Amino acid sequence: MLFKLAVKNIISRKSSFVIIGFIAFSVALLVLSNSIFDSTERGVENLFISGFTGDFAVRPVSERPCSLFGDETPIIGELTNLNRLVPFGEIAELLKESPDVDAFSPQFSGRAFLENPVTGVRIPAFLFAIQPETYFKVMDGIRFLAGKPFSGKGAVLLNSSMAEQVGASVGGEIQFVVADGSTFRIRVAFVSGIYQYADNNEVLNRICLVDVETFVSLMELSTASSSEESFSSGNYENSGAESFDIDDLFFESEDVFVSVGQEENLSAGNNLENLLSGKSETSAEQVAFDNSSWNFITGSLREGINPASFINRLNKLFEENGWPVEAVNWRQAGGASSIYLYWLRVILNAGILVVLGAGFIVVNNTLVINVLSRSKEIGTMRAVGASAGFISRLFMIETFILTISAGILGSVLGWIAGLCLTSAEISFSNQMLAQLFGGEVLTAFVSYRNILDVFVLVVLLGVIAWIYPVRTALSTSPTVAMQGEKG
């Protein structure tokens, strides 16, 4: 009976359709904006996870901000050395035995200049020293355009953007240059392959994948040998002479010390033989490589495993064992490159919510006025014997019919608008916008969670719009209420 009476009251009042239309329009805008940012968040997340962070990363505990790109402390970050994963063998064994982990791979991280000795073009690059056998199992979003993953020493993999900038091709030579005071260390490697990420991204386009031996030589890593197991070629093998032969580590590369004044001449006119003619001053202790040398481990999880829950469990195990390492999610592993995009989206979302919040305040006021304007009707009902509970329930049903109907209509309109926006294929030429929206094409994906959030907001709006005006009307005496419209 109450429901039929509420529906009859809504239909009989023309203002009801205006209220439904206004709320539906606001809901549609909210659904559309949320779907856009949900899509961009998913796009950035999928790109980073499949490109270089994995579902999780394990890193040494540090007081400084640290990501897969290294120490991100402003100004001095480039001058500091990264800590190592200790104990690597136990950590790797723990991940290997976990039923939640699909694949994982260790890596070094560093910075250097990448130069084509033929063209003389030099660009800064983040170097990831990897083991291809395991790395590409984790980073399944990487696609090779030419060549193949390296299997030996002195090799590098370039992304298509970087290869285009320096004019490199498969089989060609690339120099790595690292400044060391007034001198430079230079290593030469051949381009084994050229690859492409799932989407064009300025952050990922600065990553260069290099073999471990070249990286250790270039960075002059000094590590102590140990008896722990080494993660090599996708298997756990003893870290002895069979894994790494010190005599063969630099079979083609040696340190070259170049003064600042000579650097331009070397890069422009000297060939590979001249660059490698210097005597090596790197001792066996400096280049000894073992399993404690890795900086990070990145990994992927099996289908259906919640990354946040897995990371929490992993950190508890690390803490129980007293290991100075921590597991982090893809955003923390990506560092400033992903965090600043997150905060840009938060700021943009906040601006949209402010505009929509102002609209919902207007909607709420409209619903309140709708009830208060019926004070005479309320007074009449109370005068003929209607209880306060009856009147409250009647207006509650009316308010929720208005808001829920508007919510359904607005969700449908927002979903249709999202489909139209996606089909329009709006593209961005600006790299900042492409990073902000998770790709070069704007998309909108309406999820069930998006719809649910909107309905929770609509129901909350209905409750607020029902409690205050009904209480105000019921607190007025029937006689005054009946004369309210004449006053």
Side-chain angles (χ1 to χ4, degrees):
M1 176 182 175
L2 275 175
F3 184 79
K4 290 182 178 179
L5 181 59
V7 172
K8 184 178 180 181
N9 288 341
I10 290 174
I11 295 175
S12 64
R13 299 177 68 87
K14 294 181 179 179
S15 60
S16 299
F17 297 99
V18 176
I19 293 172
I20 291 175
F22 194 83
I23 297 176
F25 177 73
S26 300
V27 168
L29 286 180
L30 186 61
V31 169
L32 180 61
S33 61
N34 281 342
S35 65
I36 291 174
F37 286 106
D38 283 350
S39 298
T40 57
E41 180 71 11
R42 286 158 57 96
V44 172
E45 180 178 353
N46 292 335
L47 178 63
F48 277 38
I49 286 176
S50 65
F52 81 105
T53 66
D55 291 311
F56 70 94
V58 180
R59 67 186 183 187
V61 173
S62 174
E63 295 180 356
R64 301 186 300 269
C66 181
S67 72
L68 292 176
F69 294 111
D71 187 347
E72 296 191 324
T73 305
I75 301 176
I76 64 172
E78 297 183 19
L79 306 177
T80 59
N81 294 323
L82 290 175
N83 295 331
R84 311 291 175 81
L85 282 179
V86 178
F88 174 81
E90 286 85 342
I91 298 171
E93 190 65 29
L94 181 65
L95 295 177
K96 180 184 178 183
E97 294 177 353
S98 173
D100 298 335
V101 177
D102 182 51
F104 65 96
S105 181
Q107 74 172 59
F108 288 111
S109 292
R111 308 182 193 192
F113 284 96
L114 186 148
E115 182 182 82
N116 186 335
V118 177
T119 63
V121 177
R122 175 185 294 180
I123 59 174
F126 292 105
L127 303 187
F128 286 3
I130 64 163
Q131 294 178 330
E133 299 86 353
T134 56
Y135 189 78
F136 293 110
K137 291 179 181 178
V138 178
M139 310 307 167
D140 55 5
I142 294 177
R143 182 170 61 91
F144 276 83
L145 302 180
K148 60 182 180 179
F150 50 76
S151 58
K153 305 173 184 178
V156 62
L157 299 172
L158 300 179
N159 64 71
S160 56
S161 175
M162 188 174 286
E164 183 179 353
Q165 289 182 63
V166 299
S169 58
V170 174
E173 293 174 353
I174 287 294
Q175 293 178 179
F176 294 110
V177 182
V178 174
D180 185 9
S182 61
T183 63
F184 293 90
R185 288 194 302 276
I186 300 176
R187 296 291 180 273
V188 176
F190 74 93
V191 180
S192 175
I194 296 176
Y195 65 91
Q196 187 177 53
Y197 291 103
D199 207 339
N200 187 29
N201 185 281
E202 187 65 25
V203 175
L204 275 66
N205 287 341
R206 290 182 292 166
I207 296 174
C208 177
L209 305 178
V210 63
D211 72 282
V212 173
E213 288 83 349
T214 299
F215 183 91
V216 171
S217 171
L218 179 67
M219 299 300 176
E220 286 194 336
L221 295 183
S222 176
T223 62
S225 60
S226 72
S227 60
E228 297 177 359
E229 292 183 334
S230 174
F231 190 77
S232 176
S233 301
N235 299 315
Y236 296 87
E237 302 174 356
N238 290 330
S239 137
E242 293 180 2
S243 299
F244 288 93
D245 189 344
I246 299 303
D247 294 331
D248 293 339
L249 191 57
F250 304 115
F251 73 110
E252 289 182 339
S253 302
E254 296 180 349
D255 283 334
V256 177
F257 295 93
V258 186
S259 67
V260 175
Q262 296 173 325
E263 185 260 345
E264 288 298 328
N265 293 331
L266 278 172
S267 63
N270 288 14
N271 57 24
L272 176 60
E273 258 181 48
N274 292 331
L275 286 173
L276 299 181
S277 61
K279 296 293 184 181
S280 173
E281 298 183 14
T282 304
S283 65
E285 181 183 358
Q286 286 178 307
V287 300
F289 171 76
D290 67 11
N291 53 29
S292 65
S293 300
W294 299 107
N295 298 137
F296 304 99
I297 292 177
T298 55
S300 58
L301 299 174
R302 297 189 188 280
E303 191 74 24
I305 302 300
N306 182 279
S309 176
F310 171 80
I311 289 171
N312 287 335
R313 295 196 305 271
L314 199 56
N315 280 326
K316 287 181 180 178
L317 291 174
F318 291 158
E319 186 176 354
E320 290 173 2
N321 286 282
W323 299 338
V325 297
E326 61 180 348
V328 295
N329 60 25
W330 71 272
R331 193 184 301 282
Q332 293 169 300
S337 59
S338 57
I339 292 175
Y340 93 91
L341 291 176
Y342 169 76
W343 283 111
L344 281 176
R345 282 195 290 274
V346 167
I347 293 171
L348 192 54
N349 259 335
I352 293 176
L353 288 176
V354 167
V355 175
L356 292 177
F360 275 110
I361 290 173
V362 174
V363 170
N364 183 68
N365 288 339
T366 303
L367 291 170
V368 170
I369 293 171
N370 178 58
V371 176
L372 292 177
S373 66
R374 298 168 64 182
S375 58
K376 183 176 181 180
E377 179 184 341
I378 294 173
T380 303
M381 286 191 292
R382 292 183 63 191
V384 298
S387 65
F390 176 86
I391 296 173
S392 295
R393 289 193 296 273
L394 176 63
F395 277 85
M396 178 186 70
I397 293 173
E398 287 186 24
T399 302
F400 280 115
I401 289 176
L402 287 172
T403 52
I404 292 176
S405 299
I408 294 173
L409 178 60
S411 298
V412 172
L413 291 175
W415 175 69
I416 294 174
L419 291 178
C420 294
L421 186 65
T422 302
S423 62
E425 296 184 351
I426 300 174
S427 59
F428 306 107
S429 57
N430 184 282
Q431 278 295 318
M432 178 63 71
L433 290 177
Q435 292 184 57
L436 179 61
F437 289 99
E440 296 182 341
V441 178
L442 184 63
T443 59
F445 175 75
V446 180
S447 63
Y448 292 112
R449 177 63 183 272
N450 193 345
I451 301 284
L452 181 61
D453 290 343
V454 168
F455 265 95
V456 170
L457 180 61
V458 166
V459 170
L460 180 62
L461 182 67
V463 171
I464 295 173
W466 162 66
I467 293 177
Y468 170 72
V470 170
R471 280 191 174 184
T472 301
L474 290 176
S475 65
T476 307
S477 65
T479 304
V480 175
M482 292 174 66
Q483 296 175 350
E485 291 188 357
K486 295 180 180 180

